[in-house]
Amino acid sequence: MKFTVLTIFPEMIASFREHGIIRRAVEGKKISVAALNLRDFATDRHQVTDDRPYGGGSGMIMKPEPVAGAIRAAAKAMPAARKILLTPRGRVFNQDVARELAACEGLILVCGRYEGVDERICQELIDDDVSIGDYILTGGELAAMVIIEAVARLIPGTLGAADAAENDSFSDGLLEHAHYTRPPVFEGQPVPKVLLSGHHRQIEDWRLESSLMQTLLKRPELLEGRDLNSREREILEKWSTAIRRILEAYSRRK
Ligand code: 6GU
């Protein structure tokens, strides 16, 4: 998978590429991460990439010529790549979008700055608008890095453990179960006994129950939309029964 980021701050992408899983994936030739400097595609001698909005108002707009030139240069090098504009107006990125993008041959990620990009770029040269959430960033560079990281780790061979991405939160629509490592007792708090037992079936059961508990407490809407399997229904019914008992015992006392 090839990522090309179009930005006025290519150094941000260069330093991102130097660390952790991205660096390893680049070194292992599973991905490539390149940045093109939009300034290099400016058409005036001062290499200006922004200008005042027609119609007046505050803020600056990215000029179309440098953005168009950079998109065309990147697309020439990888014609099959999806051309994505990073903008808070885009569809909101999530794990499903990450999976969709991981199936592309390449991604050209256009980082807007200032108030936005000239609309004629959006219409003519962009395949897809993506946002990373409902808040405003000053530019698309952090969003591009978020997307590259989330997509890259779905590419086979980029993660150490072969199946680590499969177990992640959201990979099956539930939050991850709780995790523990040594020591067995930390500041008086023990690790759940079953995890030390070596019983793989029981450990899997405990992890599913923990996943469901995390999801119920932190993101209940993920459960409301879910096709529960029989084991999941059993666990939820067990809790439901336990909670009902507690409430019944309480009302008998009054
Ligand atoms: Cl992709 N760009 C900017 N500028 N702000 C954002 C965003 C993108 N996603 C969320 N906020």
Side-chain angles (χ1 to χ4, degrees):
M1 160 77 76
K2 294 182 168 184
F3 300 94
T4 300
V5 183
L6 313 187
T7 169
I8 59 168
F9 295 128
E11 321 77 48
M12 288 178 74
I13 308 304
S15 77
F16 168 67
R17 196 177 32 214
E18 296 303 314
H19 301 280
I21 114 153
I22 296 300
R23 178 184 181 153
R24 253 181 289 126
V26 170
E27 287 172 353
K29 304 230 175 339
K30 307 294 180 198
I31 64 170
S32 70
V33 180
L36 291 183
N37 192 339
L38 288 168
R39 265 185 218 294
D40 294 341
F41 296 88
T43 48
D44 68 304
R45 86 195 159 81
H46 296 293
Q47 299 193 292
V48 173
T49 55
D50 61 333
D51 205 344
R52 292 177 321 226
Y54 275 125
S58 64
M60 298 293 271
I61 309 303
M62 296 195 83
K63 292 169 66 58
E65 301 92 329
V67 181
I71 293 174
R72 291 196 172 107
K76 199 165 173 193
M78 40 179 201
R82 173 107 59 114
K83 300 182 283 285
I84 297 174
L85 178 67
L86 285 334
T87 164
R89 294 197 304 201
R91 63 182 171 129
V92 178
F93 188 71
N94 62 19
Q95 195 66 21
D96 289 335
V97 178
R99 274 190 284 262
E100 178 192 321
L101 299 183
C104 295
E105 271 179 47
L107 299 180
I108 295 170
L109 298 164
V110 182
C111 300
R113 277 263 150 187
Y114 323 115
E115 300 305 301
V117 175
D118 187 290
E119 189 66 22
R120 292 164 292 186
I121 293 294
C122 315
Q123 288 167 5
E124 296 302 320
L125 289 164
I126 293 294
D127 301 320
D128 203 357
D129 292 332
V130 175
S131 161
I132 59 164
D134 291 340
Y135 43 81
I136 301 299
L137 304 169
T138 314
E141 286 78 8
L142 286 168
M145 292 187 262
V146 166
I147 290 169
I148 292 170
E149 169 134 358
V151 170
R153 65 200 304 294
L154 295 177
I155 301 201
T158 57
L159 297 181
D163 67 347
E166 289 300 293
N167 293 328
D168 281 351
S169 285
F170 298 117
S171 71
D172 73 346
L174 295 176
L175 301 186
E176 257 184 289
H177 56 77
H179 300 280
Y180 297 87
T181 186
R182 289 182 289 180
V185 180
F186 173 70
E187 298 186 351
Q189 295 197 115
V191 171
K193 264 212 283 312
V194 60
L195 298 180
L196 310 177
S197 71
H199 291 115
H200 295 291
R201 263 290 314 275
Q202 288 176 30
I203 290 171
E204 278 319 299
D205 273 357
W206 181 91
R207 286 183 169 162
L208 174 60
E209 190 157 345
S210 170
S211 263
L212 277 173
M213 180 66 79
Q214 303 277 346
T215 311
L216 177 70
L217 294 178
K218 292 170 189 165
R219 297 290 303 279
E221 78 281 8
L222 295 178
L223 291 179
E224 279 160 29
R226 183 176 178 80
D227 283 328
L228 299 166
N229 66 32
S230 61
R231 184 72 192 108
E232 293 164 359
R233 281 200 309 272
E234 271 171 34
I235 293 168
L236 290 173
E237 271 157 19
K238 180 180 83 178
W239 294 342
S240 169
T241 304
I243 292 166
R244 211 172 319 110
R245 285 226 183 90
I246 293 166
L247 292 171
E248 281 164 10
Y250 176 76
S251 54
R252 274 196 299 275
R253 275 195 281 135
K254 295 191 90 182

mmCIF file of all heavy atoms in Angstrom, residues 85-103:
data_model
loop_
_atom_site.group_PDB
_atom_site.id
_atom_site.type_symbol
_atom_site.label_atom_id
_atom_site.label_comp_id
_atom_site.label_asym_id
_atom_site.label_seq_id
_atom_site.Cartn_x
_atom_site.Cartn_y
_atom_site.Cartn_z
ATOM 1 N N LEU A 85 -9.575 13.958 0.261
ATOM 2 C CA LEU A 85 -9.382 15.264 0.906
ATOM 3 C C LEU A 85 -9.699 15.126 2.389
ATOM 4 O O LEU A 85 -10.763 14.615 2.762
ATOM 5 C CB LEU A 85 -10.310 16.305 0.266
ATOM 6 C CG LEU A 85 -10.232 17.706 0.884
ATOM 7 C CD1 LEU A 85 -8.861 18.340 0.622
ATOM 8 C CD2 LEU A 85 -11.345 18.601 0.333
ATOM 9 N N LEU A 86 -8.760 15.550 3.247
ATOM 10 C CA LEU A 86 -8.999 15.545 4.687
ATOM 11 C C LEU A 86 -9.689 16.843 5.064
ATOM 12 O O LEU A 86 -9.114 17.933 4.900
ATOM 13 C CB LEU A 86 -7.676 15.426 5.443
ATOM 14 C CG LEU A 86 -6.975 14.085 5.483
ATOM 15 C CD1 LEU A 86 -7.914 12.923 5.313
ATOM 16 C CD2 LEU A 86 -5.842 14.019 4.517
ATOM 17 N N THR A 87 -10.892 16.726 5.546
ATOM 18 C CA THR A 87 -11.684 17.913 5.874
ATOM 19 C C THR A 87 -12.728 17.566 6.927
ATOM 20 O O THR A 87 -13.290 16.458 6.898
ATOM 21 C CB THR A 87 -12.402 18.474 4.614
ATOM 22 O OG1 THR A 87 -13.433 19.376 5.013
ATOM 23 C CG2 THR A 87 -13.033 17.371 3.781
ATOM 24 N N PRO A 88 -12.994 18.509 7.842
ATOM 25 C CA PRO A 88 -14.041 18.223 8.834
ATOM 26 C C PRO A 88 -15.428 18.060 8.202
ATOM 27 O O PRO A 88 -16.360 17.594 8.858
ATOM 28 C CB PRO A 88 -13.993 19.426 9.787
ATOM 29 C CG PRO A 88 -13.139 20.451 9.132
ATOM 30 C CD PRO A 88 -12.306 19.776 8.102
ATOM 31 N N ARG A 89 -15.567 18.392 6.906
ATOM 32 C CA ARG A 89 -16.848 18.168 6.219
ATOM 33 C C ARG A 89 -16.994 16.746 5.703
ATOM 34 O O ARG A 89 -18.027 16.396 5.136
ATOM 35 C CB ARG A 89 -16.979 19.104 5.011
ATOM 36 C CG ARG A 89 -17.079 20.560 5.355
ATOM 37 C CD ARG A 89 -17.604 21.341 4.165
ATOM 38 N NE ARG A 89 -16.785 21.153 2.966
ATOM 39 C CZ ARG A 89 -16.761 21.976 1.931
ATOM 40 N NH1 ARG A 89 -17.510 23.070 1.939
ATOM 41 N NH2 ARG A 89 -16.003 21.733 0.888
ATOM 42 N N GLY A 90 -15.941 15.931 5.816
ATOM 43 C CA GLY A 90 -15.982 14.591 5.215
ATOM 44 C C GLY A 90 -16.803 13.588 6.000
ATOM 45 O O GLY A 90 -17.271 13.867 7.106
ATOM 46 N N ARG A 91 -16.948 12.393 5.438
ATOM 47 C CA ARG A 91 -17.589 11.314 6.212
ATOM 48 C C ARG A 91 -16.611 10.919 7.319
ATOM 49 O O ARG A 91 -15.391 10.995 7.162
ATOM 50 C CB ARG A 91 -17.943 10.125 5.322
ATOM 51 C CG ARG A 91 -16.782 9.436 4.679
ATOM 52 C CD ARG A 91 -17.314 8.312 3.783
ATOM 53 N NE ARG A 91 -16.227 7.781 2.982
ATOM 54 C CZ ARG A 91 -15.943 6.495 2.887
ATOM 55 N NH1 ARG A 91 -16.670 5.603 3.524
ATOM 56 N NH2 ARG A 91 -14.939 6.081 2.140
ATOM 57 N N VAL A 92 -17.185 10.498 8.431
ATOM 58 C CA VAL A 92 -16.357 10.314 9.627
ATOM 59 C C VAL A 92 -15.631 8.970 9.578
ATOM 60 O O VAL A 92 -16.244 7.919 9.375
ATOM 61 C CB VAL A 92 -17.201 10.466 10.908
ATOM 62 C CG1 VAL A 92 -16.337 10.220 12.144
ATOM 63 C CG2 VAL A 92 -17.819 11.853 10.976
ATOM 64 N N PHE A 93 -14.328 9.041 9.749
ATOM 65 C CA PHE A 93 -13.462 7.866 9.730
ATOM 66 C C PHE A 93 -13.763 6.947 10.902
ATOM 67 O O PHE A 93 -13.948 7.406 12.021
ATOM 68 C CB PHE A 93 -12.012 8.347 9.809
ATOM 69 C CG PHE A 93 -10.989 7.285 9.608
ATOM 70 C CD1 PHE A 93 -10.782 6.722 8.364
ATOM 71 C CD2 PHE A 93 -10.200 6.868 10.665
ATOM 72 C CE1 PHE A 93 -9.821 5.746 8.159
ATOM 73 C CE2 PHE A 93 -9.231 5.896 10.478
ATOM 74 C CZ PHE A 93 -9.043 5.331 9.229
ATOM 75 N N ASN A 94 -13.787 5.644 10.633
ATOM 76 C CA ASN A 94 -13.889 4.647 11.713
ATOM 77 C C ASN A 94 -13.253 3.355 11.197
ATOM 78 O O ASN A 94 -12.669 3.341 10.100
ATOM 79 C CB ASN A 94 -15.348 4.450 12.150
ATOM 80 C CG ASN A 94 -16.226 3.911 11.035
ATOM 81 O OD1 ASN A 94 -15.739 3.353 10.042
ATOM 82 N ND2 ASN A 94 -17.528 4.073 11.174
ATOM 83 N N GLN A 95 -13.373 2.288 11.973
ATOM 84 C CA GLN A 95 -12.686 1.049 11.594
ATOM 85 C C GLN A 95 -13.220 0.471 10.281
ATOM 86 O O GLN A 95 -12.457 -0.124 9.522
ATOM 87 C CB GLN A 95 -12.792 0.026 12.735
ATOM 88 C CG GLN A 95 -11.847 -1.152 12.632
ATOM 89 C CD GLN A 95 -10.377 -0.761 12.763
ATOM 90 O OE1 GLN A 95 -10.040 0.291 13.306
ATOM 91 N NE2 GLN A 95 -9.503 -1.595 12.252
ATOM 92 N N ASP A 96 -14.514 0.667 10.003
ATOM 93 C CA ASP A 96 -15.058 0.186 8.720
ATOM 94 C C ASP A 96 -14.440 0.953 7.555
ATOM 95 O O ASP A 96 -14.111 0.362 6.520
ATOM 96 C CB ASP A 96 -16.586 0.361 8.663
ATOM 97 C CG ASP A 96 -17.303 -0.609 9.589
ATOM 98 O OD1 ASP A 96 -16.721 -1.672 9.881
ATOM 99 O OD2 ASP A 96 -18.439 -0.303 10.012
ATOM 100 N N VAL A 97 -14.285 2.273 7.720
ATOM 101 C CA VAL A 97 -13.661 3.074 6.653
ATOM 102 C C VAL A 97 -12.192 2.655 6.512
ATOM 103 O O VAL A 97 -11.675 2.523 5.398
ATOM 104 C CB VAL A 97 -13.793 4.592 6.932
ATOM 105 C CG1 VAL A 97 -13.104 5.399 5.833
ATOM 106 C CG2 VAL A 97 -15.266 4.997 7.047
ATOM 107 N N ALA A 98 -11.534 2.396 7.642
ATOM 108 C CA ALA A 98 -10.136 1.941 7.587
ATOM 109 C C ALA A 98 -10.023 0.658 6.768
ATOM 110 O O ALA A 98 -9.144 0.525 5.915
ATOM 111 C CB ALA A 98 -9.581 1.731 8.997
ATOM 112 N N ARG A 99 -10.947 -0.277 7.017
ATOM 113 C CA ARG A 99 -10.924 -1.542 6.256
ATOM 114 C C ARG A 99 -11.167 -1.297 4.771
ATOM 115 O O ARG A 99 -10.522 -1.908 3.915
ATOM 116 C CB ARG A 99 -11.974 -2.509 6.808
ATOM 117 C CG ARG A 99 -11.459 -3.343 7.976
ATOM 118 C CD ARG A 99 -12.435 -4.463 8.334
ATOM 119 N NE ARG A 99 -13.563 -3.915 9.068
ATOM 120 C CZ ARG A 99 -13.651 -3.943 10.404
ATOM 121 N NH1 ARG A 99 -12.711 -4.513 11.120
ATOM 122 N NH2 ARG A 99 -14.689 -3.421 10.999
ATOM 123 N N GLU A 100 -12.107 -0.405 4.482
ATOM 124 C CA GLU A 100 -12.392 -0.075 3.082
ATOM 125 C C GLU A 100 -11.138 0.508 2.410
ATOM 126 O O GLU A 100 -10.764 0.100 1.303
ATOM 127 C CB GLU A 100 -13.544 0.952 3.057
ATOM 128 C CG GLU A 100 -13.927 1.426 1.681
ATOM 129 C CD GLU A 100 -14.857 2.660 1.763
ATOM 130 O OE1 GLU A 100 -15.734 2.707 2.660
ATOM 131 O OE2 GLU A 100 -14.682 3.563 0.930
ATOM 132 N N LEU A 101 -10.467 1.435 3.086
ATOM 133 C CA LEU A 101 -9.292 2.077 2.488
ATOM 134 C C LEU A 101 -8.115 1.101 2.385
ATOM 135 O O LEU A 101 -7.282 1.217 1.484
ATOM 136 C CB LEU A 101 -8.891 3.321 3.285
ATOM 137 C CG LEU A 101 -9.948 4.435 3.356
ATOM 138 C CD1 LEU A 101 -9.403 5.642 4.116
ATOM 139 C CD2 LEU A 101 -10.422 4.862 1.961
ATOM 140 N N ALA A 102 -8.069 0.132 3.304
ATOM 141 C CA ALA A 102 -6.968 -0.847 3.272
ATOM 142 C C ALA A 102 -7.033 -1.708 2.011
ATOM 143 O O ALA A 102 -6.035 -2.314 1.620
ATOM 144 C CB ALA A 102 -6.990 -1.725 4.519
ATOM 145 N N ALA A 103 -8.197 -1.748 1.381
ATOM 146 C CA ALA A 103 -8.335 -2.526 0.146
ATOM 147 C C ALA A 103 -7.875 -1.741 -1.085
ATOM 148 O O ALA A 103 -7.810 -2.293 -2.181
ATOM 149 C CB ALA A 103 -9.795 -2.970 -0.015
#
